[in-house]
């Protein structure tokens, strides 16, 4: 039995035992556009709707999620891989019992695992499907091999952009790189756009129309507009106090925007075509193109 078949058997075995989580990957073409804020506020809004949510912070260089959680995790994915910790031991529980997992250097380390370790890790990660209804993956900003691997593996990709011309250009470049990835499948991934830091809803729609026009013309890639989040001083104040605005000021215009976007994503008609892969399949897809030690 080759390694690919072994991974498929692991995934199949877990899929039979339990339902799979909805994996949503939040990304951006550049830093500073509010990607992590989007991830954590959507998590809070999903939680308010009764969903069990876990955020995986896959940004190697920064710790934005834990800063906004106001908590430093005791363990991260590295400890699961190399220190024998179980999946429930590396989850930090934040506001409203939203779970948080720090990727740290553990994700990069997965590329160097033996097959035995690989099996162990994937089986552990598959346990997230029993813990969470939704897993939100917060990637690093920009276009790197690591970011693209996460996007390729995800059934739902949320691209956060702003009206700044450089942000729109970088979002296009990110989608171009994703389209050109050898393992990207349009049938398996849905790409959705959130316009952040807009002055009014019309500006958000105009932003999306511009991006959609160039993406449709040159990449032939379908993208969907989720909505806009306005500039909001209450959001900035919440960040300073290490609290999601959706909890700090639930009636703030930015919090209401996140609420509307989350509701749209949970709408049955809107979400019925979302393909739930679960965490075992998600990580197996990430590492399927790598060569591993025996």
């Amino acid at each position: 039995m080759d390694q690919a078949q072994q991974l498929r058997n692991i995934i199949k075995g877990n899929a039979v035992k339990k339902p799979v989580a909805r994996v949503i990957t939040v990304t951006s073409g550049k830093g500073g556009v509010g990607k992590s804020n989007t991830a954590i506020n959507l998590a809070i809004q999903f939680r308010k709707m009764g969903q069990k949510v876990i955020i995986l912070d896959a940004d190697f260089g920064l710790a934005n999620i834990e800063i906004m959680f106001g908590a430093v995790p005791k363990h991260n994915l590295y400890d699961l891989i190399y220190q024998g910790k179980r999946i429930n031991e590396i989850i930090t529980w934040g506001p409203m019992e939203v779970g948080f997992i720090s990727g740290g250097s553990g994700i990069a380390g997965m590329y160097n695992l033996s097959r035995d370790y690989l099996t162990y890790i994937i089986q552990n990660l598959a346990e997230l499907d029993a813990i969470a209804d939704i897993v939100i993956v917060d990637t690093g900003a920009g276009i790197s091999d690591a970011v693209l691997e996460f996007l390729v593996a995800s059934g739902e990709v949320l691209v956060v952009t702003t009206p700044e011309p450089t942000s729109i250009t970088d979002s296009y470049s990110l989608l171009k790189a994703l389209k050109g990835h050898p393992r990207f499948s349009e049938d398996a991934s849905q790409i959705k756009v959130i316009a952040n830091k807009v002055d009014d809803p019309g500006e958000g729609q105009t932003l999306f129309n511009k991006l959609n026009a160039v993406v449709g013309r040159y990449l032939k890639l379908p993208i969907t507009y989720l909505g806009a989040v306005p500039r909001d001083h209450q959001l900035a104040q919440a960040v300073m106090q290490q609290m999601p605005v959706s909890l700090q000021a639930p009636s703030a215009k930015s919090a209401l925007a996140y609420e509307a976007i989350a509701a749209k994503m949970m709408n049955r008609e809107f979400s019925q075509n979302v393909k739930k892969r679960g965490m075992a399949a998600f990580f197996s897809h990430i590492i399927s193109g790598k060569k591993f030690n025996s």
Side-chain angles (χ1 to χ4, degrees), residues 46-123:
F46 287 138
R47 188 72 189 93
K48 288 182 177 181
M49 296 176 191
Q51 299 295 297
K52 295 177 289 185
V53 187
I54 288 178
I55 302 174
L56 172 61
D57 189 350
D59 190 340
F60 307 141
L62 301 173
N64 290 337
I65 297 296
E66 63 187 69
I67 290 172
M68 282 186 276
F69 258 59
V72 178
K74 293 181 179 179
H75 304 290
N76 60 31
L77 195 59
Y78 181 93
D79 296 309
L80 182 143
I81 296 173
Y82 297 106
Q83 304 297 327
K85 298 295 182 181
R86 303 294 298 182
I87 192 70
N88 62 312
E89 294 180 284
I90 68 169
I91 299 174
T92 300
W93 296 100
M96 285 193 68
E97 296 186 342
V98 172
F100 161 65
I101 296 176
S102 173
S105 60
I107 295 172
M110 291 183 71
Y111 296 148
N112 301 314
L113 298 178
S114 67
R115 279 177 294 185
D116 288 343
Y117 256 114
L118 181 63
T119 302
Y120 167 76
I121 297 306
I122 291 177
Q123 287 174 335

Side-chain angles (χ1 to χ4, degrees), residues 42 156-159 192-195 208 224-228 257 260-262 264-265 270:
L42 286 180
E156 280 181 275
V157 176
L158 269 59
V159 179
K192 301 164 184 177
V193 177
I194 294 176
F208 174 76
T224 303
Y225 185 48
L226 283 178
I261 291 171
K264 185 174 183 178
M265 294 182 70
F270 188 82

Side-chain angles (χ1 to χ4, degrees), residues 270-284:
F270 188 82
S271 63
Q272 64 181 353
N273 295 323
V274 172
K275 297 182 179 180
K276 294 184 179 180
R277 293 183 178 180
M279 290 307 291
F282 179 78
F283 274 97
S284 294

Side-chain angles (χ1 to χ4, degrees), residues 95-292:
M96 285 193 68
E97 296 186 342
V98 172
F100 161 65
I101 296 176
S102 173
S105 60
I107 295 172
M110 291 183 71
Y111 296 148
N112 301 314
L113 298 178
S114 67
R115 279 177 294 185
D116 288 343
Y117 256 114
L118 181 63
T119 302
Y120 167 76
I121 297 306
I122 291 177
Q123 287 174 335
N124 264 269
L125 290 168
E127 293 180 17
L128 287 174
D129 292 327
I131 300 172
D133 299 309
I134 298 174
V135 177
I136 298 178
V137 181
D138 182 31
T139 73
I143 307 169
S144 67
D145 290 341
V147 168
L148 290 175
E149 292 293 346
F150 281 109
L151 303 187
V152 168
S154 182
E156 280 181 275
V157 176
L158 269 59
V159 179
V160 181
T161 188
T162 72
E164 294 181 10
T166 54
S167 179
I168 299 174
T169 300
D170 289 335
S171 295
Y172 172 79
S173 298
L174 175 68
L175 294 177
K176 181 179 179 180
L178 179 59
K179 169 79 173 184
H181 194 285
R183 289 186 289 114
F184 173 70
S185 169
E186 291 182 29
D187 295 331
S189 298
Q190 296 181 8
I191 300 172
K192 301 164 184 177
V193 177
I194 294 176
N196 196 27
K197 302 181 182 181
V198 301
D199 291 326
D200 58 71
E203 185 179 33
Q205 185 66 58
T206 298
L207 183 162
F208 174 76
N209 291 344
K210 290 179 179 178
L211 182 61
N212 189 38
V214 68
V215 168
R217 179 176 180 180
Y218 295 107
L219 302 182
K220 310 298 182 186
L221 193 62
I223 60 177
T224 303
Y225 185 48
L226 283 178
V229 178
R231 295 181 185 276
D232 186 2
H233 74 279
Q234 287 183 285
L235 187 151
Q237 290 176 343
V239 171
M240 292 296 293
Q241 297 179 24
Q242 295 180 252
M243 179 71 72
V245 69
S246 294
L247 287 179
Q248 175 85 347
S251 61
K253 56 185 181 181
S254 57
L256 295 176
Y258 286 124
E259 180 181 8
I261 291 171
K264 185 174 183 178
M265 294 182 70
M266 291 301 296
N267 180 279
R268 179 175 299 180
E269 182 178 349
F270 188 82
S271 63
Q272 64 181 353
N273 295 323
V274 172
K275 297 182 179 180
K276 294 184 179 180
R277 293 183 178 180
M279 290 307 291
F282 179 78
F283 274 97
S284 294
H285 198 291
I286 289 174
I287 56 186
S288 63
K290 304 296 180 181
K291 293 183 179 180
F292 298 93

